Amino acid sequence: MHLMFILMMSLLAGVGVQAQEASTALAAVAVQTSTVIEQTVPTLVEVVGTLQAVERAAIAAKVTGVVTDVPVVLGSRVTKGDLLVEISAREIAAQLNQARARLNQAGRNLTRERNLLKKHATTAETVKSMQDQYAVANAAVQEARTMLSYASISAPFSGVITAKSIHAGDLATSGTVLLRMENDQKLQAVCAVPESLVLQVQPEQTLTVTIPTVGLTIEAKVAEVAPSADPASRTAPVTIDLPYNEKLRTGQFARVKLPGQAKTSLFVPDGTVLPQGQMERVFVAGDNKAHLRLVRTGMRQGGFTEILAGLNPGETVIVKNNEHLVDGQPIKTQTEKSHD
């Protein structure tokens, strides 16, 4: 038993000597290196939002009456001034006729009194009273004419009908919403921004908006920033004007990237980090050898990778011809330009 243990130890010692000889026998590899740089970069915070139309309206009745015509359906595209709803308003029409009759009578009375005044057969006070009566009758005509115009509801702007809750024959009452419409050519993304970030958002600032459902990423400008935050949610609404795109619809979900607090991070050129399974490796150059180092990475931008852990500022890393290196392998270095 003792003899077998001695033989096993001798065998392991021989293997160790062979591994050491193999390591020292590795040929030097020509590589390119770069310096780990430390740089202050702005962070991006993502908030969610919803698309809505800049112009949208709830079309409501201003008078009570039976609906006689609704020439639009859901999805109808209308132009400003197009007829949307027609309401029967016979009572208002009758009131307009009565007002016109009173206006005509007041006009005749005023003319007669003026003629009498020229003949000194009446007084100036009587003429003034007739003038006031004529003005009141005229105002009554204008009021009745305006009320009658409410029986024909027209589109306030060009757009599309998005909701319809009235049909011909239904009774429309004053204040009842009959239709909803919006201008789908001009859309905005509306998002709730945390109060800690809202001061960093300014009108006309360009932000990145992503609409995942249609796979669009848009650079758009801020239209409005609320001057105060909601005390309940500690957020302030921000609206962003979006360029027209036929894929965009109101109600769609959006993601908006906002500038956050600046932070200092380490960066190395892309290609420095070598993934291996769940691990990320980097070879550091030192004493003319490649030394293996495990790291943790962050974001990538402009051809550089952020290093969250595993490296220190100023260290020299191997950026090219590093795929087949082993820990401790001799190297011949050639420096690569660092990140500006």
Side-chain angles (χ1 to χ4, degrees):
M1 188 71 176
H2 182 68
L3 179 60
M4 184 177 295
F5 177 75
I6 295 175
L7 291 174
M8 185 176 295
M9 293 297 294
S10 300
L11 180 60
L12 291 174
V15 171
V17 171
Q18 291 177 1
Q20 185 177 3
E21 290 177 352
S23 176
T24 56
L26 288 173
V29 178
V31 297
Q32 285 189 351
T33 62
S34 180
T35 303
V36 179
I37 62 168
E38 188 175 28
Q39 188 175 28
T40 300
V41 295
T43 59
L44 294 177
V45 179
E46 190 173 77
V47 298
V48 299
T50 304
L51 268 59
Q52 69 177 27
V54 177
E55 293 180 303
R56 54 192 184 279
I59 309 300
K62 291 185 178 181
V63 296
T64 298
V66 176
V67 176
T68 58
D69 189 18
V70 186
V72 295
V73 296
L74 280 176
S76 293
R77 189 164 295 279
V78 297
T79 303
K80 181 178 180 180
D82 285 354
L83 179 66
L84 301 180
V85 179
E86 186 73 38
I87 299 174
S88 176
R90 295 180 180 178
E91 292 181 0
I92 300 176
Q95 291 172 7
L96 177 59
N97 291 334
Q98 291 176 2
R100 285 173 175 167
R102 293 193 185 97
L103 178 64
N104 292 334
Q105 182 179 5
R108 290 193 299 271
N109 292 339
L110 177 60
T111 301
R112 183 184 69 252
E113 292 300 321
R114 282 175 175 172
N115 292 331
L116 291 174
L117 182 61
K118 292 177 182 179
K119 300 176 181 179
H120 303 287
T122 189
T123 63
E125 183 62 28
T126 303
V127 173
K128 181 64 171 60
S129 177
M130 291 296 103
Q131 288 176 338
D132 292 341
Q133 291 180 17
Y134 181 84
V136 170
N138 186 52
V141 170
Q142 298 301 322
E143 179 184 9
R145 183 180 291 123
T146 300
M147 293 298 294
L148 186 61
S149 69
Y150 294 154
S152 297
I153 304 176
S154 302
F157 52 81
S158 298
V160 63
I161 304 299
T162 59
K164 177 184 175 184
S165 57
I166 200 74
H167 301 83
D170 290 345
L171 176 65
T173 57
S174 179
T176 303
V177 176
L178 310 178
L179 303 168
R180 294 185 185 274
M181 63 174 294
E182 61 187 33
N183 183 356
D184 59 349
Q185 307 295 306
K186 297 179 181 179
L187 300 183
Q188 292 178 324
V190 182
C191 56
V193 177
E195 61 181 358
S196 59
L197 298 177
V198 72
L199 294 179
Q200 301 181 45
V201 181
Q202 303 295 330
E204 298 299 320
Q205 181 178 352
T206 300
L207 299 177
T208 301
V209 182
T210 301
I211 298 88
T213 54
V214 293
L216 283 179
T217 298
I218 303 170
E219 298 296 322
K221 289 187 177 182
V222 175
E224 298 175 332
V225 180
S228 60
D230 182 356
S233 64
R234 299 300 179 188
T235 61
V238 171
T239 57
I240 305 164
D241 286 334
L242 301 178
Y244 172 74
N245 189 295
E246 60 182 5
K247 295 181 180 180
L248 299 182
R249 298 288 186 275
T250 57
Q252 287 177 330
F253 175 77
R255 298 184 183 275
V256 181
K257 290 183 178 179
L258 303 174
Q261 299 293 335
K263 68 173 184 176
T264 300
S265 293
L266 302 180
F267 289 89
V268 297
D270 288 346
T272 304
V273 180
L274 304 170
Q276 184 178 23
Q278 300 295 323
M279 298 185 299
E280 295 175 307
R281 304 174 300 148
V282 167
F283 283 99
V284 178
D287 300 328
N288 295 321
K289 291 183 179 181
H291 302 282
L292 179 64
R293 192 82 61 83
L294 296 180
V295 298
R296 184 161 57 91
T297 62
M299 64 179 177
R300 291 185 177 182
Q301 61 176 16
F304 286 79
T305 301
E306 181 184 19
I307 301 297
L308 301 178
L311 294 176
N312 297 312
E315 286 191 297
T316 302
V317 291
I318 300 173
V319 299
K320 290 185 179 179
N321 205 18
N322 55 352
E323 295 87 354
H324 304 293
L325 290 177
V326 297
D327 188 29
Q329 184 166 1
I331 56 173
K332 298 177 182 179
T333 63
Q334 179 182 356
T335 304
E336 181 177 270
K337 292 182 179 180
S338 62
H339 185 32
D340 293 332

